[in-house]
């Protein structure tokens, strides 16, 4: 009886420990970023329910990673209009995708604004000063664009004054590399001499 009891106990114990070991190995592999390990347990008891829960968790993590990788790739390719599908996820996973979308928006808005203003300036259409507030480095970009807008307005006014024959206008170069102001100054010197 004792031997039979030990054999039955060993069978029951191995029926519990082997599946748990498989789940633990898979969980550790997932924690290490390895999604190739499969949970092979297909039972109709609590261990089977635990295995199904881990399979579902693994699949959800895999889906979130795929969504994040798709977003990263799109941004790297310059596709700044793409956003993650928040409706495909629940709870903290949805919050993660929403947060990633918000990060993309935080970059895209100032980048698109910068592109629009630079395009306008390059076409000779000097826009008004940017009044929108941005945070951190984006605010520095805004300040630099506003400085460019101001100086472009200033140079335009000087060029208009020179074109009207007002050669007494102050056309000092703003730096050694300021070819435009140097040229306006030379035009003024040419016509006043």
């Amino acid at each position: 009886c004792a031997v039979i009891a030990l054999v039955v106990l060993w069978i029951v114990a191995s029926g519990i420990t082997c599946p748990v070991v498989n789940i633990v190995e898979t969980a550790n592999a997932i924690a290490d970023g390895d999604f190739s390990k499969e949970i092979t347990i297909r039972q109709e008891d609590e261990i089977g329910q635990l295995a199904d829960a881990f399979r579902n968790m693994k699949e959800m993590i895999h889906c979130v990673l795929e969504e994040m990788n798709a977003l990263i790739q799109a941004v790297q390719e310059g596709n700044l209009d793409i956003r993650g599908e928040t409706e495909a996820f629940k709870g903290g996973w949805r919050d993660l995708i929403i947060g990633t979308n918000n990060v993309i928006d935080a970059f895209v808005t100032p980048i698109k604004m910068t592109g629009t203003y630079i395009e306008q300036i390059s076409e000779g259409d000097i826009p008004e000063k940017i009044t929108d507030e941005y945070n951190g480095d984006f605010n520095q970009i805004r300040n630099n664009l506003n400085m460019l807008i101001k100086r472009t307005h200033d140079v335009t006014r000087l060029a208009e004054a020179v074109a009207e024959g007002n050669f007494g206008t102050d056309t000092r170069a703003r730096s050694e590399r300021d070819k435009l102001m140097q040229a306006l100054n030379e035009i003024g010197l040419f016509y006043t001499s």
Side-chain angles (χ1 to χ4, degrees), residues 2-74:
V3 172
I4 292 174
L6 286 174
V7 169
V8 169
L9 186 59
W10 179 79
I11 291 171
V12 170
S14 65
I16 294 173
T17 58
C18 288
V20 170
V21 167
N22 180 250
I23 291 171
V24 168
E25 288 173 353
T26 303
N28 286 330
I30 292 170
D32 289 338
D34 177 9
F35 287 85
S36 64
K37 185 144 181 65
E38 294 293 330
I39 297 175
T40 58
I41 303 159
R42 303 279 181 210
Q43 297 175 200
E44 297 295 325
D45 57 8
E46 290 80 9
I47 297 292
Q49 291 174 352
L50 180 61
D52 288 341
F54 267 88
R55 271 191 288 279
N56 291 338
M57 179 184 69
K58 177 186 166 191
E59 181 60 30
M60 183 53 63
I61 293 171
H62 182 71
C63 289
V64 169
L65 285 175
E66 284 183 341
E67 189 73 16
M68 296 297 289
N69 285 334
L71 288 172
I72 291 167
Q73 183 177 353

Side-chain angles (χ1 to χ4, degrees), residues 48-128:
Q49 291 174 352
L50 180 61
D52 288 341
F54 267 88
R55 271 191 288 279
N56 291 338
M57 179 184 69
K58 177 186 166 191
E59 181 60 30
M60 183 53 63
I61 293 171
H62 182 71
C63 289
V64 169
L65 285 175
E66 284 183 341
E67 189 73 16
M68 296 297 289
N69 285 334
L71 288 172
I72 291 167
Q73 183 177 353
V75 169
Q76 288 173 335
E77 292 173 354
N79 182 359
L80 302 180
D81 292 326
I82 193 164
R83 296 297 178 275
E85 292 293 328
T86 57
E87 298 304 315
F89 302 97
K90 298 177 186 173
W93 299 122
R94 174 182 268 172
D95 293 343
L96 178 64
I97 302 300
I98 289 171
T100 302
N101 288 345
N102 290 341
V103 168
I104 293 170
D105 287 338
F107 278 90
V108 168
T109 301
I111 287 170
K112 286 190 174 186
M113 176 270 306
T114 300
T116 299
Y117 274 74
I118 289 173
E119 180 181 15
Q120 284 180 279
I121 292 169
S122 74
E123 294 172 349
D125 179 15
I126 316 302
E128 293 300 315

